[in-house]
Amino acid sequence: MALDKYQSMRDFEKTAEPSGKDDAPRSEHERSGKPRFVVQEHHATALHWDFRLEKDGVLVSWAVPRGIPPDPRVNHLAVHTEDHPLSYFNYEGQIPKGEYGGGKVILWDQGTYETEKFNDVPPDGPAKGGEVIVTLHGSKIEGRYALIQTDGKNWLAHRMKDQQRPQVGDLA
Ligand code: MN
């Protein structure tokens, strides 16, 4: 099961994170073709931003130490982590110290996304060639992004260059 790893890493007697055990197989949004994404700012031992895409009834997840890159010229490392339950989408709170991921979780951005390519590979498996291309529609993030597996669980987050943006010439 996709959430076995997530559940095995946590003690739900101690953390208020959702177990996902009662989640519906897919959300309304995903079934209607408007799957959602979330970015959670996570003040764990090392600050990072968790980027999650709703896909096939789970949140496919990456931990991004420097956050989603706003600039196409700078790629950011994105470490593929275990799938999270859909009910994690709205989670924010304090994970107790000493528990896995101990520290504060804050919702940083939420929205929907469109998929151009979604070739996910398990973070701990031998598979190569993972690549995800999506267009994000959030409050803070708007644009086309690629996530590309470079080595095992290490991926790169890249903002695509060909974004429609007002150019200086357009104002003439
Ligand atoms: Mn995290």
Side-chain angles (χ1 to χ4, degrees), residues 3-143:
L3 294 175
D4 284 358
K5 186 166 181 217
Y6 171 86
Q7 289 160 349
S8 73
M9 292 165 82
R10 290 167 177 80
D11 181 348
F12 297 106
E13 302 280 311
K14 293 183 178 162
T15 178
E17 293 167 285
S19 73
K21 282 172 183 152
D22 302 317
D23 285 9
R26 297 170 93 201
S27 74
E28 286 284 329
H29 278 85
E30 193 177 354
R31 280 185 281 124
S32 72
K34 290 196 170 181
R36 299 168 299 174
F37 80 92
V38 60
V39 179
Q40 283 149 323
E41 183 178 313
H42 188 180
H43 295 258
T45 311
L47 173 65
H48 60 273
W49 285 262
D50 288 300
F51 176 60
R52 311 188 196 281
L53 296 170
E54 189 174 78
K55 175 75 175 169
D56 298 335
V58 296
L59 299 174
V60 178
S61 298
W62 292 262
V64 190
R66 296 171 61 206
I68 306 301
D71 185 334
R73 292 169 298 184
V74 185
N75 297 331
H76 287 179
L77 171 69
V79 180
H80 203 337
T81 56
E82 76 280 12
D83 290 346
H84 277 49
L86 287 184
S87 47
Y88 213 94
F89 186 79
N90 286 313
Y91 175 75
E92 58 180 359
Q94 184 79 35
I95 301 172
K97 206 175 166 186
E99 296 306 301
Y100 180 73
K104 197 177 202 178
V105 176
I106 301 161
L107 288 171
W108 188 82
D109 199 13
Q110 291 181 324
T112 59
Y113 74 91
E114 288 148 36
T115 306
E116 207 169 309
K117 185 169 184 177
F118 210 115
N119 180 27
D120 185 30
V121 301
D124 299 325
K128 296 181 179 185
E131 188 178 6
V132 171
I133 301 175
V134 288
T135 299
L136 305 174
H137 305 288
S139 308
K140 292 180 178 167
I141 306 176
E142 177 72 45

Side-chain angles (χ1 to χ4, degrees), residues 137-159:
H137 305 288
S139 308
K140 292 180 178 167
I141 306 176
E142 177 72 45
R144 190 162 162 253
Y145 280 84
L147 288 140
I148 299 151
Q149 185 188 23
T150 53
D151 180 23
K153 66 186 171 131
N154 293 331
W155 293 50
L156 279 179
H158 170 70
R159 183 178 168 89

